[in-house]
Amino acid sequence: YKWLNKAAEAGDLSARMTLGIMFFKGGPGAERDLNKAVDYYRPKAEAGDTEAQFYLGAVLAMLADVDNKGDGLGQATGWLEKAYEGGEAKAAFVLGGTYAYAFRDPKAGKEGAAADKEKAELWLSRAAAAGNREARPLWPDLHRPGSDVPASGR
């Protein structure tokens, strides 16, 4: 941890990414701290690294869930979309889940990423097409009785 921290302080983006992962997961030398993980991921994400964009978006979505801040969801989806566009297929599942969550919990979509069943279905279908087996089971939540978005059968 000590040497990684020194390298990160010297501007090493790979060291910052590793520290971000350590603070995301928690463990020896780095107790779990999602806010610190965001701080470590952000420079590499801003430099265009798609893996860092994915992790930054995913952690921001988690923080928005915990803090109930819609603006965090907006930031999260922005980073996740960049990651997906850069080739991180797993971002589609997190995007779909984020939009589906905002649909199920109206307070989550205050600002930023509002509840959007169509976007949830779009991203979950992309995740399923990329081989993610967890994506399709989320669809029934989007189409329960009273839903105004018809099931597409995709």
Side-chain angles (χ1 to χ4, degrees):
Y1 173 78
K2 178 181 171 184
W3 294 109
L4 272 174
N5 201 35
K6 285 185 183 260
E9 287 173 3
D12 184 320
L13 293 180
S14 293
R16 292 187 68 84
M17 182 72 180
T18 301
L19 283 168
I21 292 168
M22 289 174 68
F23 281 108
F24 171 69
K25 292 182 176 183
E31 193 170 313
R32 184 175 172 138
D33 185 330
L34 298 180
N35 288 303
K36 281 186 181 179
V38 165
D39 291 341
Y40 281 111
Y41 290 142
R42 192 175 299 277
K44 196 160 184 176
E46 289 173 346
D49 183 276
T50 57
E51 182 182 27
Q53 291 169 345
F54 169 76
Y55 281 109
L56 177 58
V59 172
L60 286 170
M62 292 171 74
L63 284 169
D65 180 21
V66 169
D67 297 339
N68 230 355
K69 293 182 181 173
D71 57 334
L73 281 176
Q75 288 181 44
T77 57
W79 284 112
L80 289 164
E81 286 179 19
K82 283 184 182 196
Y84 180 80
E85 290 164 8
E88 287 288 337
K90 61 189 172 194
F93 177 70
V94 177
L95 276 160
T98 298
Y99 284 116
Y101 165 75
F103 165 62
R104 288 192 308 266
D105 185 354
K107 349 177 250 212
K110 289 183 250 181
E111 300 171 32
D116 191 323
K117 293 181 278 184
E118 289 177 346
K119 283 186 180 179
E121 185 177 63
L122 168 73
W123 287 109
L124 291 171
S125 68
R126 287 179 179 174
N132 187 310
R133 295 173 192 215
E134 297 175 54
R136 195 169 291 276
L138 293 179
W139 288 1
D141 282 352
L142 301 174
H143 305 293
R144 65 181 181 256
S147 170
D148 59 356
V149 178
S152 68
R154 277 186 279 180

